[in-house]
């Protein structure tokens, strides 16, 4: 196995932000008119698989019907049917949402996009079209083999394009090329008007486009809030590197006391603060696992002639060499398509934050305390420090709905376990960890914000957010007003909603 295999990344019982998987794409039965065959109910052999495609085992939905769609017209019909019947509807692309936005018992109709996987060049729009049900891996493969370009998006090839892009879309190439939404030219969305009628709308980034606000809302406003995205168009896509150096480093917890831990984390943050705009071809995720997992780990990718030199420089700056190091050079596409092992069966809770400055000494001490608590049942826990900045920060905060354009690192907090009986203790662990990291600002990252791609409904709960700052501001910063206006205009009946939908008022 390569250095990014699941066994290397999940030492023990954790999953990480860079290691997400989904079920396989689904083949549907075609009807005589070329559409897909009606609705799938609980008595259909396909229902159990489709209803269970959600990634987080904490949640299980029981929709009355699942509509497996094959075209935009199918989506329009499905939405019209749900609205007329007064049924709450949700949409699933790759199925990787960490919260119950689709697997909610209140959702009665699920529109499943996994059969809409087209990736092609659209000469009429002079842009590359990617349907919302395509996985990142399939988009990478087709775009690169067909035209030698790529979308600078997530590391995990089985994540669906639909929700990933709407959240902003970032991954190993973001420091060099920016976010996926920085290349988004247009989006096709099925929306519902005030009369309850569904229709498709194409919105572009053109300043003269009367629908431009709908395009903008899908550049970081999150999925499932404005309508059903059926396809994206991208322009001026960059070329990926021909080859990348993938690496995995480990620091054993054995003998790693608090001063040594603090030195590693502090030096890592300071390095990225100094080099936020340098070394754009160097990407890392520093996984601070709980002690029970045996080691801290850094995984990442580097490219270019000086890739190994930059990695060596970074390791030297940390002040303590790793106890193990593996690396390999591969063609970029081979690395991009190298998916992790199956991760089904995990129950999870995640949280997030950005960092404009390195973690403070009190925060590092807090992290050490929570990662070393003596509870043998809490094994699958971690916080990952993912490199950010570079080209991402060259875009104005209001140019897209992705407001956080001044960070050097992105934080991903995780608790993962398998047994329902362990829900309470794992939820308590991660909630207290997060609250204590931001103890000075009401338990949430008021100054740096959070990432809607890692949704956390606790931010909307005053028991865990006592800052007085609304969850929407934490996620969307100064772009909240624009998202509210888009919500009022494009979903006036609030057909598409979940716990973290941008508020219309």
């Amino acid at each position: 196995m390569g250095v990014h295999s699941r066994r290397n990344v999940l030492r023990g019982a954790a999953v990480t932000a860079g290691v997400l998987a989904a079920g396989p794409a689904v083949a549907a039965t075609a009807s005589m008119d070329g559409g897909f065959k009606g609705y799938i109910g609980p008595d259909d052999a396909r229902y159990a698989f489709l209803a269970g495609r959600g990634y987080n085992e904490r949640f299980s939905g029981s929709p009355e019907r699942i509509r497996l769609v094959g075209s935009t017209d199918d989506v329009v019909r499905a939405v019209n049917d749900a609205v007329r019947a007064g049924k709450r509807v949700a949409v699933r692309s790759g199925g990787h949402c960490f919260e119950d936005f689709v697997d909610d018992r209140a959702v009665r109709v699920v529109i499943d996009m996994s059969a809409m996987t087209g990736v092609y060049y659209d000469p009429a729009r002079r842009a590359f079209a990617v349907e919302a049900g395509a996985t990142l891996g399939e988009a990478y493969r087709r775009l690169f083999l067909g035209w030698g370009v790529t979308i600078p998006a997530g590391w995990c090839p089985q994540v669906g394009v639909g929700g990933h892009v709407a959240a902003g879309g970032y991954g190993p190439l973001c420091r060099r090329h920016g976010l996926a939404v920085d290349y988004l030219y247009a989006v096709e969305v099925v929306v519902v008007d005030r009369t309850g009628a569904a229709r498709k709308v194409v919105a572009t980034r053109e300043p003269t486009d009367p629908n431009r606000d709908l395009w903008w809302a899908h550049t970081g406003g999150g999925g499932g809030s404005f309508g059903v995205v059926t396809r994206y168009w991208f322009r001026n896509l960059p070329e990926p590197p021909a080859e990348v150096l993938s690496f995995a480093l480990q620091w054993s917890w054995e003998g790693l006391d608090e001063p040594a831990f603090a030195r590693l984390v502090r030096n890592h943050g300071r390095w990225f603060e100094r080099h936020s705009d340098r070394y754009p071809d160097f990407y890392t995720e520093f996984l601070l696992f709980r002690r029970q997992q045996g080691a801290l780990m850094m995984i990442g990718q580097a490219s270019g002639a000086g890739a190994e030199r930059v990695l060596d420089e970074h390791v030297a700056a940390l002040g303590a060499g790793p106890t193990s190091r593996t690396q390999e050079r591969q063609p970029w596409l081979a690395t991009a398509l190298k998916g992790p092992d199956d991760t089904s069966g995990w129950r999870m809770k995640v949280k997030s934050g950005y960092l404009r400055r390195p973690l403070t000494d009190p925060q590092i001490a807090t992290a050490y305390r929570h990662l070393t608590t003596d509870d043998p049942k809490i094994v699958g826990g971690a916080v990952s420090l993912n490199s950010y900045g570079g080209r991402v920060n060259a875009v104005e905060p209001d140019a897209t709905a992705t407001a956080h354009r001044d960070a050097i690192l992105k934080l991903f907090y995780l608790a993962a376990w398998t047994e329902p009986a362990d829900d309470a203790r794992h939820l308590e662990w991660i909630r207290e960890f997060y609250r204590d990291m931001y103890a000075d600002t009401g338990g949430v990252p008021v100054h740096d914000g959070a990432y809607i791609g890692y949704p956390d409904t606790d931010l909307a709960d005053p028991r865990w957010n006592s800052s007085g700052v609304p969850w929407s501001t934490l996620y969307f910063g100064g772009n909240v007003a624009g998202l509210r206006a888009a919500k009022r205009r494009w979903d006036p009946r609030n057909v598409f909603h979940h716990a973290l939908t941008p508020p219309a008022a």
Side-chain angles (χ1 to χ4, degrees):
M1 284 193 171
V3 297
H4 291 313
S5 73
R6 182 141 187 75
R7 287 186 182 85
N8 284 325
V9 176
L10 302 188
R11 292 291 177 180
V15 288
T16 70
V19 186
L20 305 176
V26 182
T29 302
S31 65
M32 295 301 291
D33 65 359
F36 281 79
K37 190 176 180 179
Y39 290 98
I40 296 168
D43 58 345
D44 191 298
R46 297 168 290 177
Y47 179 88
F49 173 77
L50 292 172
R53 283 210 307 121
Y55 182 65
N56 191 345
E57 291 290 326
R58 280 180 59 211
F59 308 114
S60 60
S62 56
E64 295 174 7
R65 300 180 292 179
I66 299 172
R67 185 67 157 94
L68 187 60
V69 295
S71 69
T72 302
D73 288 342
D74 283 347
V75 176
V76 171
R77 286 192 287 268
V79 173
N80 271 326
D81 288 348
V83 172
R84 282 195 295 264
K87 303 292 186 181
R88 183 169 166 187
V89 63
V91 59
R92 182 166 5 236
S93 175
H96 286 79
C97 183
F98 288 110
E99 290 286 1
D100 63 346
F101 297 165
V102 178
D103 291 319
D104 182 339
R105 295 304 176 99
V107 171
R108 298 289 79 206
V109 179
V110 171
I111 298 174
D112 191 293
M113 305 294 294
S114 59
M116 290 188 64
T117 61
V119 179
Y120 56 93
Y121 182 74
D122 181 350
R125 297 194 185 280
R126 295 180 290 115
F128 294 98
V130 182
E131 291 184 337
T135 64
L136 292 177
E138 192 63 8
Y140 295 157
R141 185 182 70 82
R142 294 186 189 180
L143 289 170
F144 182 70
L145 295 182
W147 298 274
V149 298
T150 192
I151 304 168
W155 200 341
C156 309
Q158 290 179 316
V159 166
V161 168
H164 180 75
V165 172
Y170 91 106
L173 299 181
C174 69
R175 285 170 56 78
R176 164 61 69 182
H177 297 297
L179 302 176
V181 294
D182 298 337
Y183 298 85
L184 185 63
Y185 173 72
V187 60
E188 181 181 73
V189 191
V190 174
V191 298
V192 177
D193 64 22
R194 293 187 182 278
T195 71
R199 62 189 175 96
K200 72 175 182 181
V201 175
V202 174
T204 75
R205 70 185 182 204
E206 297 292 347
T208 57
D209 187 341
N211 303 328
R212 190 179 189 276
D213 59 334
L214 185 62
W215 163 84
W216 182 84
H218 286 89
T219 61
S225 295
F226 305 94
V228 181
V229 175
T230 53
R231 80 192 74 233
Y232 296 104
W233 285 268
F234 300 90
R235 278 189 179 178
N236 303 316
L237 287 175
E239 297 180 3
E243 182 183 75
V244 296
L245 176 73
S246 298
F247 54 86
L249 318 175
Q250 291 191 64
W251 286 262
S252 173
W253 266 110
E254 185 176 350
L256 191 65
D257 59 13
E258 184 169 359
F261 173 89
R263 183 166 56 251
L264 271 176
V265 177
R266 186 184 304 115
N267 288 343
H268 172 268
R270 288 175 176 173
W271 192 89
F272 275 102
E273 183 178 38
R274 289 196 305 271
H275 302 303
S276 178
D277 295 326
R278 296 183 64 195
Y279 307 128
D281 300 310
F282 185 65
Y283 176 83
T284 68
E285 296 181 3
F286 195 10
L287 303 157
L288 309 182
F289 289 128
R290 277 183 54 80
R291 181 179 299 192
Q292 286 88 337
Q293 290 176 247
L296 311 181
M297 175 176 282
M298 181 180 294
I299 59 176
Q301 295 179 4
S303 61
E308 190 164 358
R309 175 186 57 78
V310 176
L311 174 59
D312 290 342
E313 177 184 321
H314 181 60
V315 171
L318 296 179
T323 51
S324 72
R325 171 171 170 167
T326 57
Q327 61 188 59
E328 62 180 337
R329 288 186 176 272
Q330 280 190 311
W332 170 81
L333 185 61
T335 300
L337 297 181
K338 188 183 295 183
D341 298 340
D342 181 33
T343 59
S344 59
W346 292 95
R347 306 173 73 82
M348 290 173 282
K349 178 65 177 177
V350 307
K351 295 175 177 288
S352 69
Y354 291 94
L355 285 176
R356 294 185 295 170
R357 301 285 186 274
L359 289 173
T360 65
D361 286 347
Q363 285 178 313
I364 295 172
T366 296
Y368 181 85
R369 174 164 54 86
H370 284 278
L371 295 172
T372 58
T373 52
D374 188 18
D375 185 342
K377 287 285 187 178
I378 307 293
V379 176
V383 58
S384 179
L385 286 69
N386 301 347
S387 59
Y388 211 64
R391 183 66 184 172
V392 176
N393 292 350
V395 177
E396 291 299 318
D398 60 353
T400 66
T402 302
H404 305 296
R405 296 287 190 165
D406 56 359
I408 60 171
L409 295 168
K410 176 180 286 193
L411 302 184
F412 177 77
Y413 299 81
L414 168 74
W417 63 100
T418 58
E419 299 299 324
D422 294 329
D423 284 5
R425 71 169 66 203
H426 283 84
L427 290 172
E428 179 182 33
W429 176 79
I430 192 170
R431 283 167 169 163
E432 291 182 351
F433 182 6
Y434 193 76
R435 178 200 63 197
D436 294 349
M437 288 291 284
Y438 306 104
D440 293 340
T441 55
V444 296
V446 168
H447 299 308
D448 294 327
Y451 175 50
I452 193 61
Y454 302 151
D456 172 21
T457 56
D458 288 346
L459 295 187
D461 187 337
R463 292 175 298 175
W464 299 104
N465 177 4
S466 61
S467 69
V469 176
W471 66 264
S472 53
T473 299
L474 297 174
Y475 281 123
F476 307 123
N479 290 333
V480 171
L483 291 171
R484 284 176 174 166
K487 178 69 173 175
R488 286 194 300 270
R489 180 185 179 194
W490 295 105
D491 188 21
R493 296 167 64 104
N494 199 30
V495 171
F496 306 100
H497 65 275
H498 50 70
L500 299 179
T501 292

